Amino acid sequence: MRIVLGVSAGIAAYKAVLLARLLTEDGHQVDIIPTPASLEFVGRATWEAISGRPVTTSVFEGVDEVRHVRLGQEADLIVVAPATADLLARIRAGMANDLLTSTLLASEAPKLLVPAMHTEMWRNPAAEENVSVLRERGIEVMEPASGRLTGKDSGPGRLPEPEQIKARIDQLLEPRRPAYADAPRAGTFYAPDHAGQPPLLGRKVVVTAGGTREPLDPVRYLGNRSSGKQGLALARAARAAGAEVTLIAGVMDQAPGPELRGVEVVPVETAAELQGAVRIETEKAHVLIMAAAVADFRPADYAAAKIKKTDDDAAPTITLVRNPDILAETVQRRAQTGTGPAVIVGFAAETGDENTEPLQLAQQKLARKGCDLLVLNRVGENLVFGQEDTEIHILASETAQSALDQDQPVHFAGGKQEAAGVVVRSATALLSSLPPST
Ligand code: C5P
């Protein structure tokens, strides 16, 4: 990947030398753009030696190749470390009075700014406002570390260690679709049915899995304990049945591994992202399996800067708003437009209460959501979340019951992978019972 590493005039510029080394050792092409004043701290020769690339600081050098435009256009990511208070102010104002600020202004590449300054400067309202405005514009500003600063003072304002910055860069450079999404399909995944054909061959199945995270501020979120295991098992089971599978992957305990070869993975984090991915991916899908634990609520407001403790011991009040019900919405869209998945499977995690049995609650949910099948998981302490084993009941809507000729919920207790197989078999049976046009 091509990374532009901007360096502004802070004593922490020496740490950027280590960062540049980590990046080049990883095989990235790193173009370093120091501000002219930063050369007082680390000289041009060091930067050229470490990056193996020519280094300039002004738009009047290398004019023939229009460097300030070219470097930014070719970059996959622009990182500025350290970013001084002065540089943040200049970026916020849209100034372009040296090669670094011109490159930042002329580029649409994602940008990561890593501030380093004295605590008083970091807390100065002018600097705070600059950081909030930059974040609102979609530029990522990392939180500085806390600790010993240049002089005898210490507090927030230290440049995070090069390894920490590198870890964030690695995350930002991760492809939206992991490489294994494009891997060749493995024929051995197919489990032929009695006619010798994988039962879902030529059918598209969309599985949602994992939990969602609803951000409160750049460092905090509301989340849930979904491990994503059941969803991964469902994607594997659908793949094994020969389907073309798209996994919309929320936050999971473990990343989808290479055993999901041939499965297209769409990573999402918030309920809104999941909603968008479901809309797009289900347009041409035959089956939707909504195993994701979607947050029902999200913070009404996102604070662009980290919410701070105040001196008066007061705690902030967080107002929540409802998230859309993605499952119900997909059912409604199908009813209104006649398009979308012919089979829609929902999940319900129920503990039951003193008055109502989990099965009864699931029955009510099936009716409320309008999906075709509803998989009931009994939850409680040490039940289901993150565990290998599960117990499920698969309830069918009235229409599905008659199509499947089934009047009782299907019950299964055992491993999550086998449970996934049972769910996929029920969905397949329902799909095959429908007229061929669907
Ligand atoms: O209402 P409840 O959260 O129990 O419903 C669970 C089912 O609804 C799951 O299939 C889940 O993926 C889906 N769901 C959704 N959108 C929400 C909440 C849940 O699609 N906002």
Side-chain angles (χ1 to χ4, degrees):
M1 295 267 180
R2 290 171 176 219
I3 301 172
V4 166
L5 174 60
V7 180
S8 58
I11 189 87
Y14 76 91
K15 285 195 190 169
V17 179
L18 302 175
L19 176 62
R21 156 132 297 160
L22 291 174
L23 294 171
T24 50
E25 275 174 357
D26 237 16
H28 297 297
Q29 176 182 305
V30 184
D31 278 295
I32 296 166
I33 312 184
T35 60
S38 79
L39 296 178
E40 297 280 336
F41 294 99
V42 178
R44 189 192 300 239
T46 304
W47 295 129
E48 290 196 333
I50 208 106
S51 66
R53 314 265 308 155
V55 170
T56 55
T57 60
S58 142
V59 277
F60 300 112
E61 293 167 281
V63 178
D64 53 332
E65 45 166 338
V66 205
R67 238 169 121 66
H68 68 288
V69 177
R70 189 178 58 77
L71 286 177
Q73 270 174 354
E74 288 174 359
D76 295 297
L77 178 70
I78 304 184
V79 182
V80 183
T84 57
D86 173 72
L87 187 79
L88 295 177
R90 288 196 286 138
I91 303 173
R92 187 232 167 134
M95 287 172 73
N97 49 356
D98 57 21
L99 183 60
L100 178 56
T101 44
S102 309
T103 304
L104 284 159
L105 199 60
S107 174
E108 286 176 356
K111 299 174 186 86
L112 172 67
L113 309 181
V114 194
M117 61 194 76
H118 284 281
T119 305
E120 292 77 7
M121 285 179 152
W122 176 247
R123 293 211 170 126
N124 184 291
E128 281 190 333
E129 194 189 303
N130 289 338
V131 169
S132 325
V133 170
L134 290 169
R135 284 179 173 153
E136 272 160 27
R137 289 184 197 155
I139 294 180
E140 181 167 332
V141 183
M142 242 174 126
E143 280 296 310
S146 218
R148 180 80 194 269
L149 301 169
T150 318
K152 291 202 175 108
D153 50 345
S154 67
R158 246 173 93 90
L159 190 80
E161 292 311 308
E163 290 75 14
Q164 280 171 288
I165 305 174
K166 163 80 170 29
R168 183 62 194 142
I169 292 173
D170 288 345
Q171 285 172 344
L172 291 171
L173 290 176
E174 242 170 49
R176 288 284 294 166
R177 283 166 195 249
Y180 51 78
D182 301 323
R185 306 207 152 177
T188 48
F189 275 82
Y190 293 72
D193 68 0
H194 57 273
Q197 281 282 352
L200 286 175
L201 188 66
R203 306 295 196 137
K204 177 173 174 179
V205 175
V206 175
V207 178
T208 68
T212 59
R213 276 184 184 171
E214 306 298 323
L216 268 166
D217 68 18
V219 292
R220 304 186 182 95
Y221 58 83
L222 292 182
N224 59 55
R225 291 174 56 197
S226 169
S227 68
K229 277 192 183 137
Q230 186 65 75
L232 287 178
L234 285 158
R236 273 196 294 270
R239 190 73 199 99
E244 179 194 326
V245 182
T246 299
L247 175 70
I248 301 178
V251 182
M252 303 187 177
D253 281 0
Q254 83 196 67
E259 81 281 5
L260 278 182
R261 202 155 27 156
V263 171
E264 185 185 34
V265 181
V266 180
V268 294
E269 201 166 304
T270 62
E273 284 172 6
L274 196 130
Q275 180 186 37
V278 167
R279 276 191 192 153
I280 293 167
E281 296 298 337
T282 55
E283 259 173 34
K284 297 207 166 66
H286 300 90
V287 179
L288 167 66
I289 305 181
M290 278 292 300
V294 187
D296 289 319
F297 310 100
R298 67 175 183 277
D301 298 305
Y302 171 73
K306 186 180 168 194
I307 300 168
K308 298 216 166 59
K309 288 194 278 282
T310 50
D311 293 337
D312 59 1
D313 269 358
T317 302
I318 295 164
T319 309
L320 301 177
V321 290
R322 284 287 288 264
N323 269 332
D325 188 321
I326 301 163
L327 176 61
E329 173 190 277
T330 312
V331 170
Q332 275 163 19
R333 197 167 41 247
R334 179 178 70 178
Q336 282 159 7
T337 64
T339 61
V343 174
I344 299 180
V345 185
F347 273 70
E350 303 289 356
T351 54
D353 55 38
E354 63 271 24
N355 303 321
T356 332
E357 281 295 303
L359 256 175
Q360 227 179 316
L361 288 174
Q363 204 68 56
Q364 291 162 3
K365 188 162 289 178
L366 174 67
R368 208 166 51 241
K369 304 249 179 187
C371 52
D372 308 300
L373 299 174
L374 188 93
V375 183
L376 164 69
N377 272 314
R378 293 196 57 154
V379 289
E381 232 171 293
N382 298 329
L383 274 178
V384 179
F385 286 117
Q387 302 293 308
E388 290 306 327
D389 279 356
T390 187
E391 180 177 359
I392 57 166
H393 288 87
I394 306 175
L395 287 73
S397 69
E398 268 178 38
T399 330
Q401 273 185 25
S402 50
L404 289 169
D405 206 9
Q406 165 198 314
D407 53 6
Q408 287 300 315
V410 172
H411 175 237
F412 174 86
K416 281 190 172 164
Q417 191 58 63
E418 292 82 60
V422 176
V423 173
V424 169
R425 270 201 295 285
S426 289
T428 308
L430 182 55
L431 186 66
S432 348
S433 71
L434 298 168
S437 61
T438 53

